[in-house]
Amino acid sequence: MSVDRPQGVLRRGWSAEVGDYAIAGGWTRRGEALVVGDAAGGVYAFDGTSGATIWTQREVHEGGVLAVAMHPNRPEFATAGQDGRVLVWSAADGRVREALDVGNGWVEHAAWSPDGTWLAASCSRQVHTYGPDGEKAWQSDDHPSTVSAIAWSSTGDLATACYGRVTFFDASTGEVRQQLEWMGSLVSLVLSPDGDIVVCGSQDNSVHFWRRSTEQDSMMSGYPAKPSALAFDDSGTLLATGGGEEVTVWSFQGSGPEGTRPGVMEHHVENVTALAFARRGMRLASGARDGDVAVWSLRRDGHGDPIGVAPVADVVGDLYWRPDGRALAALDAQGGVTVWRVSK
Amino acid sequence: MDTPRNIPVTILTGFLGSGKTTLLNRILREEHGKRIAVVENEFGEVGIDQALVINADEEIFEMSNGCICCTVRGDLIRVLGNLMKRRDKFDYVLVETTGLADPGPVAQTFFMDDEIRAEYALDGIVTLVDAAHIEQQLGRSDESTEQIAFADVLVLNKTDLVHDDALDGLEARLRDMNRMARVVRSKRAEVPVDTVLNLGAFDLDEVLGRRPTFLEPEYPFEWTGVYSLDVGRYELSLDDGPDPSMSLVVVPDQGTDDAALREGAEWCVRRYAEPADLVRPGDQIRVGEHLNLELDSPGRKPFFLEVDTPVRVGVFTQHTAEEFDLQLTKVDGATPTANGAPRTEEAVPVEVERTWVAQHEHDDEVGSIAIEVEGDVDPDRLNLWLGQLLSERGVDIFRMKGFISLAGESRRFVFQGVHMLFDGQPDRPWGDAPRRNQLVFIGRNLDEPSMRQGFEACLT
């Protein structure tokens, strides 16, 4: 691949370090701060503009942080860890507002509902939800296997993925609304912004998706590796998938993606680990085991071109666009936090 | 997958009550300087503080293609995937399975998942066997058989509850099923830790070094004694032994060096292929014929051998001489008479003796096949043959290991596999060592002649 300007739209921003593998993080709503949780159980907040450390809390989750969820409209976030707990933090000062004991196992996933009312967290075979003041709302029955991913739908349902199925729960009652089945180990889950399309990566190197309205399903197979990174753009037109060294982008415009050829973005030389769409426009960021981060400008048919590339120190753990789309953060396996300014 | 930075993983299997947890605790106690992570099922009882113990339900995930060879342990992928992110890496990971676990999915996880494969290496599968109960378990459950078939090390535990004779029989049966494994006996799982950890289990050299007879052919006889005989009459006598009869062949003009013994053995194998003539106590033994000595009467039983010209004979017997206290004595020229006429008796010393790897009765469907051939292998033909073999018989092939001399490659090619999954890479240079191929397959109802033939067809 040739990039006319090696850095393209990515401009020097700031960088910082956390204590161990940077597992997960996120930007506060206006981009004032970037928070990061690490494998040693520490939680860090950096100034969004300068990268200066705002506060640090080391070893709060014994065994390590597993998930970070940013509140959609309050300056708060949640962290989940191997210690079986979820902590709800005030981003400004690093104060823990709520400490929730979820279960005896690892709490691997946490997510706020789109309106910020409910916080969901999964622990082994169950998913638990909590209300606005941290009070327990409901917990699910045991799933057939450990819950491997959770996601809130814009319509207010909570979706869980596990071996063999995706389940939708009513946000306030926990009642099961829909089950979509597929015999395979579902390792990742993403919902289209309108909530109709449900996409899972499967251990057998395929991507499976359903339309909730019709319950029709389709499968995209032939990936060289398991597609653990998935992302939908804000308009619900494009689905970006990892599952190998290439980024494969399916377009849902018209009658697609069935019967269409996906866009294939080639730059990475090892498996893609992270994908994120900027909130508006068709800009996709990809990160890989090779430590490179690329930014792509995509068209509605899923095809596109690279517009920026930059390396980080190690395997890219995850990528987060600042909500205004003018900065991109990458977390890496060495504990590096790299933020670029992104030009238009 | 065997790069040095990969974290070694040992899998402990065995039925409930076989001593897995005892062994696990013992390992943790003795390896206290190491950072060890233990993944165990929820019923485990590891009681050691310094290890990181992670409870994980065994989640067996089949793939949508329905292939059992692609089945993996989903919980391990998640747990190990998270553990590998820590900066202070673990020195070791121990995975304890539930008693009824099929070891296939656990082992396959280390082949099937790219991320796990990049960070971890399956060091070995250690199967605990409850010596007092395994015979019943083998009869009743496939899992038990598979746990034995998959093992790199078989710990024959609770030996204090079983007689030595029964243990020997049990060990022979286990070896028949899995000739690749090291067998270690113990009372309360107190085996040296280095027999179960850091096996480098896929170094076949070590397996071969441990058991030099491992790849030798099996013979229908266990023992050979070579005797130099003058003209005269000899008595071969046998005391009470384990069987009511025993077959033998007396080979004329037998040499004493190893090559001559092997030559005699090969000649003898052909005699053994012929039906045996029954010979009763007091009868004559005919040289060069397959005979079956009737031994069901109590006390010493004599058989006779007449020698016309001085000769060196090899006596090839179905069992060892020791088992029946076999003796050869020269008796004087006269036929002993019923009235007890005097005669001289003189024991004839064994000039050379050796034992052979005996063919066992293969009661179990599960067994091992070893192929050893000199020469170079054509990589394309090998791929084709192995591909076809694994696609047709992958379900029945539990494990395979070996090294191969690939044409045009200066290094040995070392491989291992689980069901139809296969992994290999070049290892050390051949140097001056003779280039040869050694392969071991453990599986169910394997067709040895056709597999051997198939492999030999890959030679250049």
Side-chain angles (χ1 to χ4, degrees):
Chain A
M1 183 197 97
S2 70
V3 180
D4 293 331
R5 294 146 70 198
Q7 297 264 317
V9 297
L10 295 176
R11 307 293 171 80
R12 182 193 295 274
W14 53 265
S15 62
E17 281 208 350
V18 295
D20 203 330
Y21 197 120
I23 298 284
W27 293 91
T28 53
R29 195 164 59 95
R30 294 193 179 81
E32 308 94 325
L34 179 75
V35 298
V36 178
D38 73 11
V43 179
Y44 301 73
F46 302 100
D47 181 272
T49 312
S50 68
T53 302
I54 305 172
W55 53 262
T56 298
Q57 297 283 344
R58 290 179 187 271
E59 295 180 15
V60 284
H61 284 288
E62 192 185 340
V65 170
L66 293 167
V68 172
M70 306 308 293
H71 196 282
N73 45 41
R74 284 203 303 260
E76 289 180 356
F77 66 97
T79 57
Q82 291 188 14
D83 58 355
R85 295 192 304 163
V86 166
L87 302 177
V88 179
W89 303 75
S90 157
D93 56 11
R95 200 171 40 84
V96 173
R97 189 171 66 78
E98 309 280 355
L100 310 170
D101 289 316
V102 183
N104 291 324
W106 294 4
V107 184
E108 293 186 60
H109 306 282
W112 296 95
S113 62
D115 64 0
T117 309
W118 311 103
L119 173 63
S122 74
C123 179
S124 14
R125 293 171 189 241
Q126 292 180 338
V127 63
H128 305 246
T129 61
Y130 300 86
D133 298 310
E135 76 280 11
K136 182 78 168 273
W138 51 267
Q139 73 184 61
S140 72
D141 292 338
D142 273 352
H143 286 65
S145 77
T146 298
V147 174
S148 54
I150 65 175
W152 286 93
S153 155
S154 55
T155 58
D157 288 355
L158 175 67
T160 62
C162 64
Y163 175 68
R165 77 179 193 217
V166 175
T167 308
F168 285 86
F169 298 91
D170 180 273
S172 49
T173 65
E175 186 190 336
V176 174
R177 287 207 171 156
Q178 194 173 19
Q179 283 190 5
L180 302 170
E181 298 191 349
W182 165 248
M183 202 190 97
S185 170
L186 306 176
V187 296
S188 52
L189 166 69
V190 70
L191 305 179
S192 63
D194 69 2
D196 190 42
I197 302 161
V198 182
V199 184
C200 286
S202 176
Q203 176 78 35
D204 60 5
N205 300 351
S206 67
V207 169
H208 205 86
F209 72 89
W210 298 259
R211 288 183 174 86
R212 283 191 75 182
S213 48
T214 61
E215 294 204 350
Q216 279 187 327
D217 62 336
S218 288
M219 187 171 84
M220 278 97 80
S221 54
Y223 287 90
K226 62 182 169 185
S228 42
L230 302 172
F232 252 116
D233 87 302
D234 249 17
S235 70
T237 309
L238 300 183
L239 169 70
T241 61
E245 297 166 6
E246 297 166 344
V247 178
T248 306
V249 183
W250 299 92
S251 172
F252 284 73
Q253 68 174 355
S255 57
E258 290 92 337
T260 64
R261 291 173 67 85
V264 176
M265 308 299 127
E266 292 180 347
H267 167 74
H268 298 291
V269 296
E270 289 187 58
N271 286 347
V272 170
T273 52
L275 291 169
F277 272 101
R279 196 166 283 181
R280 276 172 298 277
M282 295 254 177
R283 279 187 175 183
L284 172 71
S286 62
R289 291 189 66 86
D290 58 18
D292 259 12
V293 172
V295 178
W296 311 84
S297 174
L298 302 176
R299 296 184 297 273
R300 291 181 60 81
D301 64 359
H303 296 262
D305 303 294
I307 53 170
V309 172
V312 295
D314 201 340
V315 172
V316 177
D318 213 343
L319 293 166
Y320 305 97
W321 287 93
R322 202 167 67 190
D324 66 1
R326 300 299 305 278
L328 175 67
L331 308 186
D332 71 52
Q334 302 249 321
V337 179
T338 310
V339 173
W340 300 275
R341 291 179 296 120
V342 183
S343 52
K344 280 191 176 171
Chain B
M1 72 184 269
D2 237 338
T3 51
R5 56 186 285 273
N6 286 15
I7 303 166
V9 180
T10 296
I11 297 165
L12 293 177
T13 72
F15 263 36
L16 197 65
S18 59
K20 292 191 296 285
T21 306
T22 311
L23 178 61
L24 192 54
N25 278 312
R26 183 182 173 82
I27 293 169
L28 294 176
R29 207 162 48 238
E30 291 197 11
E31 300 285 289
H32 52 78
K34 304 264 176 62
R35 285 181 50 77
I36 297 180
V38 179
V39 183
E40 59 167 14
N41 59 75
E42 58 187 335
F43 305 110
E45 297 165 13
V46 171
I48 299 286
D49 294 337
Q50 88 262 357
L52 175 69
V53 179
I54 299 147
N55 288 301
D57 286 349
E58 285 180 352
E59 296 184 341
I60 310 292
F61 290 172
E62 289 170 30
M63 297 295 135
S64 49
N65 61 12
C67 171
I68 70 144
C69 309
C70 300
T71 305
V72 293
R73 281 270 305 268
D75 57 313
L76 279 185
I77 293 176
R78 278 186 307 105
V79 168
L80 296 181
N82 270 304
L83 289 185
M84 74 197 181
K85 291 178 175 172
R86 296 160 71 119
R87 183 160 294 165
D88 46 346
K89 302 268 191 225
F90 289 94
D91 299 311
Y92 230 99
V93 176
L94 299 170
V95 178
E96 180 187 356
T97 70
T98 54
L100 280 169
D102 165 6
V106 194
Q108 282 160 196
T109 303
F110 295 89
F111 292 79
M112 281 294 289
D113 190 89
D114 291 339
E115 286 159 30
I116 299 302
R117 191 175 157 137
E119 302 283 340
Y120 295 90
L122 178 57
D123 182 60
I125 300 175
V126 177
T127 299
L128 275 286
V129 175
D130 176 346
H133 294 105
I134 187 68
E135 299 267 14
Q136 290 159 272
Q137 290 159 356
L138 281 173
R140 274 204 308 256
S141 91
D142 284 350
E143 289 88 355
S144 179
T145 305
E146 285 171 13
Q147 288 175 359
I148 285 161
F150 268 94
D152 294 288
V153 178
L154 288 165
V155 178
L156 189 50
N157 194 27
K158 305 195 177 179
T159 52
D160 49 334
L161 304 180
V162 178
H163 286 295
D164 284 351
D165 292 353
L167 276 179
D168 291 343
L170 182 55
E171 185 170 329
R173 182 171 178 192
L174 299 181
R175 283 188 192 282
D176 263 355
M177 293 168 68
N178 181 344
R179 285 205 275 154
M180 191 166 76
R182 175 202 306 217
V183 181
V184 188
R185 294 187 183 189
S186 70
K187 289 193 177 72
R188 276 168 294 278
E190 71 282 23
V191 297
V193 169
D194 61 6
T195 57
V196 292
L197 287 195
N198 280 317
L199 299 177
F202 306 118
D203 188 353
L204 198 62
D205 289 336
E206 203 212 349
V207 180
L208 296 170
R210 280 200 305 267
R211 302 186 49 214
T213 60
F214 176 52
L215 288 168
E216 275 193 8
E218 293 182 347
Y219 291 103
F221 38 81
E222 278 188 89
W223 183 84
T224 299
V226 182
Y227 300 88
S228 283
L229 305 181
D230 292 330
V231 176
R233 181 177 170 81
Y234 292 84
E235 179 192 283
L236 185 76
S237 71
L238 295 93
D239 210 337
D240 295 345
D243 288 330
S245 70
M246 179 178 78
S247 64
L248 102 178
V249 171
V250 176
V251 177
D253 302 319
Q254 176 63 54
T256 54
D257 60 22
D258 195 59
L261 283 166
R262 283 178 182 280
E263 208 178 303
E266 291 307 319
W267 188 83
C268 222
V269 166
R270 291 194 288 276
R271 299 291 83 73
Y272 261 86
E274 296 158 5
D277 274 353
L278 189 68
V279 178
R280 295 195 171 78
D283 284 356
Q284 202 75 2
I285 288 175
R286 298 183 301 278
V287 173
E289 287 184 29
H290 186 202
L291 305 173
N292 195 23
L293 308 184
E294 187 184 275
L295 301 173
D296 54 2
S297 52
R300 286 197 87 81
K301 293 153 279 282
F303 301 88
F304 296 95
L305 184 66
E306 300 285 353
V307 176
D308 302 332
T309 50
V311 67
R312 195 192 261 143
V313 296
V315 180
F316 287 73
T317 56
Q318 186 187 357
H319 301 297
T320 61
E322 207 177 17
E323 286 176 81
F324 290 88
D325 189 26
L326 180 146
Q327 306 274 356
L328 189 66
T329 45
K330 188 172 185 196
V331 294
D332 66 5
T335 306
T337 52
N339 61 14
R343 58 173 187 164
T344 57
E345 283 192 16
E346 190 188 333
V348 182
V350 183
E351 200 170 337
V352 171
E353 65 180 320
R354 75 158 286 173
T355 53
W356 307 92
V357 178
Q359 270 165 0
H360 286 101
E361 306 268 321
H362 295 284
D363 298 333
D364 296 297
E365 296 179 334
V366 170
S368 319
I369 287 180
I371 297 173
E372 179 170 23
V373 194
E374 295 202 354
D376 288 350
V377 166
D378 179 272
D380 294 338
R381 274 186 249 168
L382 179 70
N383 262 331
L384 211 63
W385 171 68
L386 208 54
Q388 194 182 353
L389 176 72
L390 298 185
S391 73
E392 287 171 3
R393 301 301 316 277
V395 172
D396 291 326
I397 295 174
F398 298 135
R399 294 194 72 181
M400 62 197 141
K401 295 183 187 183
F403 45 81
I404 286 171
S405 167
L406 287 182
E409 169 63 62
S410 62
R411 293 167 296 173
R412 299 192 317 180
F413 185 80
V414 178
F415 76 94
Q416 59 148 324
V418 175
H419 285 308
M420 56 192 258
L421 307 173
F422 178 90
D423 194 50
Q425 64 272 312
D427 104 314
R428 62 164 191 250
W430 285 101
D432 296 333
R435 295 182 65 122
R436 59 194 174 139
N437 307 280
Q438 293 187 295
L439 300 84
V440 181
F441 295 87
I442 297 171
R444 184 178 277 131
N445 299 323
L446 299 182
D447 180 353
E448 178 159 4
S450 91
M451 285 173 65
R452 191 178 294 280
Q453 206 176 5
F455 181 76
E456 285 174 1
C458 300
L459 294 170
T460 54

